[in-house]
mmCIF file of all heavy atoms in Angstrom:
data_model
loop_
_atom_site.group_PDB
_atom_site.id
_atom_site.type_symbol
_atom_site.label_atom_id
_atom_site.label_comp_id
_atom_site.label_asym_id
_atom_site.label_seq_id
_atom_site.Cartn_x
_atom_site.Cartn_y
_atom_site.Cartn_z
ATOM 1 N N LYS L 2 0.853 -1.193 -0.040
ATOM 2 C CA LYS L 2 0.017 0.014 -0.023
ATOM 3 C C LYS L 2 0.865 1.263 0.038
ATOM 4 O O LYS L 2 0.641 2.204 -0.737
ATOM 5 C CB LYS L 2 -0.896 -0.012 1.266
ATOM 6 C CG LYS L 2 -1.834 1.169 1.233
ATOM 7 C CD LYS L 2 -2.828 1.087 2.442
ATOM 8 C CE LYS L 2 -3.678 2.354 2.497
ATOM 9 N NZ LYS L 2 -4.648 2.238 3.611
ATOM 10 N N VAL L 3 1.899 1.220 0.859
ATOM 11 C CA VAL L 3 2.781 2.413 0.944
ATOM 12 C C VAL L 3 3.487 2.635 -0.429
ATOM 13 O O VAL L 3 3.588 3.748 -0.860
ATOM 14 C CB VAL L 3 3.818 2.268 2.017
ATOM 15 C CG1 VAL L 3 4.869 3.378 2.034
ATOM 16 C CG2 VAL L 3 3.120 2.155 3.372
ATOM 17 N N LYS L 4 3.983 1.584 -1.010
ATOM 18 C CA LYS L 4 4.680 1.747 -2.297
ATOM 19 C C LYS L 4 3.728 2.262 -3.404
ATOM 20 O O LYS L 4 4.170 2.972 -4.269
ATOM 21 C CB LYS L 4 5.321 0.432 -2.714
ATOM 22 C CG LYS L 4 6.547 0.043 -1.876
ATOM 23 C CD LYS L 4 7.230 -1.181 -2.445
ATOM 24 C CE LYS L 4 8.466 -1.464 -1.694
ATOM 25 N NZ LYS L 4 9.225 -2.586 -2.257
ATOM 26 N N ASN L 5 2.530 1.817 -3.336
ATOM 27 C CA ASN L 5 1.594 2.323 -4.346
ATOM 28 C C ASN L 5 1.428 3.873 -4.215
ATOM 29 O O ASN L 5 1.322 4.574 -5.224
ATOM 30 C CB ASN L 5 0.238 1.685 -4.249
ATOM 31 C CG ASN L 5 0.359 0.206 -4.698
ATOM 32 O OD1 ASN L 5 1.259 -0.085 -5.460
ATOM 33 N ND2 ASN L 5 -0.661 -0.608 -4.422
ATOM 34 N N GLU L 6 1.266 4.322 -3.030
ATOM 35 C CA GLU L 6 1.045 5.747 -2.751
ATOM 36 C C GLU L 6 2.329 6.544 -3.251
ATOM 37 O O GLU L 6 2.241 7.565 -3.867
ATOM 38 C CB GLU L 6 0.805 6.018 -1.238
ATOM 39 C CG GLU L 6 -0.567 5.484 -0.875
ATOM 40 C CD GLU L 6 -0.772 5.711 0.638
ATOM 41 O OE1 GLU L 6 0.192 6.063 1.351
ATOM 42 O OE2 GLU L 6 -1.927 5.467 1.107
ATOM 43 N N LYS L 7 3.457 5.910 -2.922
ATOM 44 C CA LYS L 7 4.726 6.574 -3.301
ATOM 45 C C LYS L 7 4.835 6.610 -4.781
ATOM 46 O O LYS L 7 5.277 7.619 -5.379
ATOM 47 C CB LYS L 7 5.923 5.779 -2.705
ATOM 48 C CG LYS L 7 7.243 6.415 -3.015
ATOM 49 C CD LYS L 7 8.349 5.615 -2.409
ATOM 50 C CE LYS L 7 9.711 6.210 -2.722
ATOM 51 N NZ LYS L 7 10.852 5.413 -2.131
ATOM 52 N N TYR L 8 4.445 5.559 -5.489
ATOM 53 C CA TYR L 8 4.460 5.566 -6.881
ATOM 54 C C TYR L 8 3.667 6.591 -7.524
ATOM 55 O O TYR L 8 4.097 7.334 -8.448
ATOM 56 C CB TYR L 8 4.063 4.134 -7.386
ATOM 57 C CG TYR L 8 3.728 4.085 -8.873
ATOM 58 C CD1 TYR L 8 4.712 4.114 -9.856
ATOM 59 C CD2 TYR L 8 2.403 3.957 -9.175
ATOM 60 C CE1 TYR L 8 4.337 4.118 -11.153
ATOM 61 C CE2 TYR L 8 2.092 3.897 -10.578
ATOM 62 C CZ TYR L 8 3.056 3.985 -11.547
ATOM 63 O OH TYR L 8 2.757 3.890 -12.827
ATOM 64 N N TRP L 9 2.408 6.610 -7.065
ATOM 65 C CA TRP L 9 1.470 7.609 -7.654
ATOM 66 C C TRP L 9 1.855 9.017 -7.434
ATOM 67 O O TRP L 9 1.811 9.920 -8.299
ATOM 68 C CB TRP L 9 0.066 7.389 -7.179
ATOM 69 C CG TRP L 9 -0.533 6.084 -7.672
ATOM 70 C CD1 TRP L 9 -0.898 5.003 -6.986
ATOM 71 C CD2 TRP L 9 -0.900 5.847 -9.069
ATOM 72 N NE1 TRP L 9 -1.417 4.090 -7.841
ATOM 73 C CE2 TRP L 9 -1.411 4.622 -9.123
ATOM 74 C CE3 TRP L 9 -0.875 6.660 -10.222
ATOM 75 C CZ2 TRP L 9 -1.910 4.010 -10.262
ATOM 76 C CZ3 TRP L 9 -1.312 6.067 -11.437
ATOM 77 C CH2 TRP L 9 -1.767 4.837 -11.482
ATOM 78 N N SER L 10 2.510 9.294 -6.252
ATOM 79 C CA SER L 10 2.952 10.686 -6.046
ATOM 80 C C SER L 10 4.058 10.973 -6.962
ATOM 81 O O SER L 10 4.087 12.129 -7.571
ATOM 82 C CB SER L 10 3.558 10.748 -4.536
ATOM 83 O OG SER L 10 2.496 10.453 -3.696
ATOM 84 N N LYS L 11 5.070 10.140 -7.092
ATOM 85 C CA LYS L 11 6.107 10.393 -7.998
ATOM 86 C C LYS L 11 5.664 10.513 -9.483
ATOM 87 O O LYS L 11 6.171 11.245 -10.343
ATOM 88 C CB LYS L 11 7.223 9.356 -7.911
ATOM 89 C CG LYS L 11 7.985 9.501 -6.609
ATOM 90 C CD LYS L 11 9.194 8.554 -6.547
ATOM 91 C CE LYS L 11 9.965 8.743 -5.271
ATOM 92 N NZ LYS L 11 11.190 7.845 -5.317
ATOM 93 N N LEU L 12 4.655 9.687 -9.744
ATOM 94 C CA LEU L 12 4.166 9.659 -11.117
ATOM 95 C C LEU L 12 3.470 11.035 -11.483
ATOM 96 O O LEU L 12 3.712 11.619 -12.529
ATOM 97 C CB LEU L 12 3.130 8.560 -11.347
ATOM 98 C CG LEU L 12 2.728 8.337 -12.751
ATOM 99 C CD1 LEU L 12 3.862 7.900 -13.699
ATOM 100 C CD2 LEU L 12 1.622 7.261 -12.796
ATOM 101 N N VAL L 13 2.757 11.499 -10.545
ATOM 102 C CA VAL L 13 2.175 12.867 -10.707
ATOM 103 C C VAL L 13 3.209 13.942 -10.926
ATOM 104 O O VAL L 13 3.125 14.754 -11.770
ATOM 105 C CB VAL L 13 1.189 13.214 -9.624
ATOM 106 C CG1 VAL L 13 0.666 14.605 -9.669
ATOM 107 C CG2 VAL L 13 0.009 12.235 -9.610
ATOM 108 N N ILE L 14 4.149 13.855 -9.953
ATOM 109 C CA ILE L 14 5.234 14.883 -10.065
ATOM 110 C C ILE L 14 5.960 14.746 -11.391
ATOM 111 O O ILE L 14 6.267 15.718 -12.017
ATOM 112 C CB ILE L 14 6.217 14.684 -8.867
ATOM 113 C CG1 ILE L 14 5.492 15.025 -7.545
ATOM 114 C CG2 ILE L 14 7.420 15.630 -9.031
ATOM 115 C CD1 ILE L 14 6.304 14.590 -6.308
ATOM 116 N N GLY L 15 6.237 13.511 -11.683
ATOM 117 C CA GLY L 15 6.979 13.282 -12.970
ATOM 118 C C GLY L 15 6.164 13.806 -14.151
ATOM 119 O O GLY L 15 6.657 14.385 -15.119
ATOM 120 N N ALA L 16 4.837 13.571 -14.124
ATOM 121 C CA ALA L 16 4.005 14.057 -15.181
ATOM 122 C C ALA L 16 4.048 15.534 -15.304
ATOM 123 O O ALA L 16 4.138 16.097 -16.401
ATOM 124 C CB ALA L 16 2.559 13.564 -15.005
ATOM 125 N N ILE L 17 3.993 16.155 -14.148
ATOM 126 C CA ILE L 17 4.042 17.661 -14.134
ATOM 127 C C ILE L 17 5.340 18.163 -14.711
ATOM 128 O O ILE L 17 5.377 19.039 -15.540
ATOM 129 C CB ILE L 17 3.860 18.223 -12.702
ATOM 130 C CG1 ILE L 17 2.428 17.827 -12.187
ATOM 131 C CG2 ILE L 17 4.025 19.752 -12.678
ATOM 132 C CD1 ILE L 17 2.176 18.179 -10.741
ATOM 133 N N CYS L 18 6.405 17.396 -14.253
ATOM 134 C CA CYS L 18 7.733 17.822 -14.691
ATOM 135 C C CYS L 18 7.787 17.608 -16.179
ATOM 136 O O CYS L 18 8.457 18.402 -16.989
ATOM 137 C CB CYS L 18 8.835 17.083 -14.010
ATOM 138 S SG CYS L 18 9.017 17.483 -12.205
ATOM 139 N N MET L 19 7.317 16.500 -16.704
ATOM 140 C CA MET L 19 7.351 16.192 -18.083
ATOM 141 C C MET L 19 6.616 17.294 -18.906
ATOM 142 O O MET L 19 7.033 17.699 -19.994
ATOM 143 C CB MET L 19 6.787 14.851 -18.384
ATOM 144 C CG MET L 19 7.639 13.659 -17.833
ATOM 145 S SD MET L 19 9.205 13.519 -18.757
ATOM 146 C CE MET L 19 8.573 12.908 -20.303
ATOM 147 N N MET L 20 5.466 17.648 -18.284
ATOM 148 C CA MET L 20 4.744 18.750 -18.970
ATOM 149 C C MET L 20 5.573 19.993 -18.991
ATOM 150 O O MET L 20 5.538 20.742 -19.974
ATOM 151 C CB MET L 20 3.382 18.990 -18.228
ATOM 152 C CG MET L 20 2.396 17.818 -18.383
ATOM 153 S SD MET L 20 0.919 18.126 -17.367
ATOM 154 C CE MET L 20 0.267 19.608 -18.177
ATOM 155 N N ALA L 21 6.245 20.161 -17.891
ATOM 156 C CA ALA L 21 7.081 21.432 -17.817
ATOM 157 C C ALA L 21 8.149 21.302 -18.886
ATOM 158 O O ALA L 21 8.546 22.283 -19.492
ATOM 159 C CB ALA L 21 7.668 21.554 -16.444
ATOM 160 N N VAL L 22 8.695 20.161 -18.935
ATOM 161 C CA VAL L 22 9.769 19.906 -19.913
ATOM 162 C C VAL L 22 9.270 20.120 -21.298
ATOM 163 O O VAL L 22 9.876 20.678 -22.153
ATOM 164 C CB VAL L 22 10.444 18.491 -19.729
ATOM 165 C CG1 VAL L 22 11.407 18.243 -20.893
ATOM 166 C CG2 VAL L 22 11.167 18.428 -18.424
ATOM 167 N N ALA L 23 8.016 19.577 -21.517
ATOM 168 C CA ALA L 23 7.404 19.671 -22.799
ATOM 169 C C ALA L 23 7.259 21.132 -23.241
ATOM 170 O O ALA L 23 7.268 21.482 -24.398
ATOM 171 C CB ALA L 23 6.098 18.940 -22.867
ATOM 172 N N THR L 24 6.994 21.948 -22.194
ATOM 173 C CA THR L 24 6.751 23.357 -22.535
ATOM 174 C C THR L 24 8.030 24.179 -22.759
ATOM 175 O O THR L 24 8.100 25.282 -23.229
ATOM 176 C CB THR L 24 5.914 24.070 -21.395
ATOM 177 O OG1 THR L 24 6.674 23.921 -20.223
ATOM 178 C CG2 THR L 24 4.579 23.456 -21.329
ATOM 179 N N VAL L 25 9.202 23.492 -22.291
ATOM 180 C CA VAL L 25 10.480 24.215 -22.466
ATOM 181 C C VAL L 25 10.892 23.984 -23.924
ATOM 182 O O VAL L 25 10.853 22.971 -24.439
ATOM 183 C CB VAL L 25 11.518 23.569 -21.557
ATOM 184 C CG1 VAL L 25 12.934 24.256 -21.797
ATOM 185 C CG2 VAL L 25 11.150 23.763 -20.130
ATOM 186 N N PRO L 26 11.242 25.012 -24.529
ATOM 187 C CA PRO L 26 11.599 25.042 -25.958
ATOM 188 C C PRO L 26 12.839 24.139 -26.099
ATOM 189 O O PRO L 26 13.688 24.062 -25.225
ATOM 190 C CB PRO L 26 11.941 26.455 -26.349
ATOM 191 C CG PRO L 26 11.283 27.313 -25.302
ATOM 192 C CD PRO L 26 11.216 26.481 -24.039
ATOM 193 N N THR L 27 12.904 23.444 -27.199
ATOM 194 C CA THR L 27 14.034 22.651 -27.510
ATOM 195 C C THR L 27 15.306 23.458 -27.704
ATOM 196 O O THR L 27 16.475 22.968 -27.485
ATOM 197 C CB THR L 27 13.783 21.726 -28.706
ATOM 198 O OG1 THR L 27 13.444 22.536 -29.773
ATOM 199 C CG2 THR L 27 12.677 20.764 -28.414
ATOM 200 N N ARG L 28 15.023 24.667 -28.113
ATOM 201 C CA ARG L 28 16.171 25.568 -28.285
ATOM 202 C C ARG L 28 16.240 26.430 -27.039
ATOM 203 O O ARG L 28 15.275 27.032 -26.658
ATOM 204 C CB ARG L 28 15.948 26.461 -29.484
ATOM 205 C CG ARG L 28 16.065 25.709 -30.854
ATOM 206 C CD ARG L 28 15.920 26.589 -31.965
ATOM 207 N NE ARG L 28 16.885 27.595 -31.920
ATOM 208 C CZ ARG L 28 16.922 28.654 -32.748
ATOM 209 N NH1 ARG L 28 15.855 28.847 -33.577
ATOM 210 N NH2 ARG L 28 17.911 29.593 -32.721
ATOM 211 N N VAL L 29 17.312 26.456 -26.389
ATOM 212 C CA VAL L 29 17.511 27.270 -25.165
ATOM 213 C C VAL L 29 17.856 28.720 -25.619
ATOM 214 O O VAL L 29 18.724 28.945 -26.553
ATOM 215 C CB VAL L 29 18.726 26.790 -24.304
ATOM 216 C CG1 VAL L 29 18.880 27.640 -23.078
ATOM 217 C CG2 VAL L 29 18.434 25.290 -23.981
ATOM 218 N N ASN L 30 17.089 29.591 -25.084
ATOM 219 C CA ASN L 30 17.308 30.961 -25.490
ATOM 220 C C ASN L 30 18.611 31.477 -24.869
ATOM 221 O O ASN L 30 19.162 30.844 -23.969
ATOM 222 C CB ASN L 30 16.092 31.880 -25.147
ATOM 223 C CG ASN L 30 15.793 31.785 -23.564
ATOM 224 O OD1 ASN L 30 16.742 31.643 -22.810
ATOM 225 N ND2 ASN L 30 14.585 32.023 -23.210
ATOM 226 N N ALA L 31 18.928 32.593 -25.331
ATOM 227 C CA ALA L 31 20.215 33.051 -24.948
ATOM 228 C C ALA L 31 20.318 33.382 -23.505
ATOM 229 O O ALA L 31 21.417 33.497 -22.906
ATOM 230 C CB ALA L 31 20.568 34.340 -25.814
ATOM 231 N N GLU L 32 19.091 33.593 -22.835
ATOM 232 C CA GLU L 32 19.085 34.034 -21.469
ATOM 233 C C GLU L 32 19.337 32.818 -20.536
ATOM 234 O O GLU L 32 19.680 32.990 -19.402
ATOM 235 C CB GLU L 32 17.863 34.688 -21.157
ATOM 236 C CG GLU L 32 17.563 35.932 -21.890
ATOM 237 C CD GLU L 32 16.258 36.610 -21.536
ATOM 238 O OE1 GLU L 32 15.458 35.991 -20.763
ATOM 239 O OE2 GLU L 32 15.984 37.677 -22.028
ATOM 240 N N THR L 33 19.156 31.568 -21.052
ATOM 241 C CA THR L 33 19.334 30.484 -20.193
ATOM 242 C C THR L 33 20.871 30.140 -20.149
ATOM 243 O O THR L 33 21.545 29.966 -21.072
ATOM 244 C CB THR L 33 18.646 29.225 -20.803
ATOM 245 O OG1 THR L 33 17.280 29.542 -20.993
ATOM 246 C CG2 THR L 33 18.771 27.993 -19.897
ATOM 247 N N LEU L 34 21.239 29.968 -18.796
ATOM 248 C CA LEU L 34 22.657 29.696 -18.598
ATOM 249 C C LEU L 34 22.976 28.340 -18.868
ATOM 250 O O LEU L 34 22.166 27.380 -18.612
ATOM 251 C CB LEU L 34 23.013 30.088 -17.154
ATOM 252 C CG LEU L 34 22.901 31.531 -16.691
ATOM 253 C CD1 LEU L 34 23.239 31.700 -15.305
ATOM 254 C CD2 LEU L 34 23.849 32.463 -17.622
#
């Protein structure tokens, strides 16, 4: 049960991050270090 909760939490976070990544342009603008 604990592992399931941990999985779904990370999955949500990962999804959000992936969405964030998806919104990041493949080309890094000049302002990005």
Side-chain angles (χ1 to χ4, degrees):
K2 182 177 181 181
V3 173
K4 288 189 175 183
N5 286 344
E6 291 177 350
K7 183 179 178 181
Y8 163 74
W9 288 112
S10 298
K11 289 187 176 183
L12 187 62
V13 169
I14 294 173
I17 296 172
C18 293
M19 291 292 289
M20 291 175 63
V22 172
T24 59
V25 176
T27 56
R28 291 181 60 189
V29 179
N30 58 32
E32 294 180 356
T33 303
L34 297 177

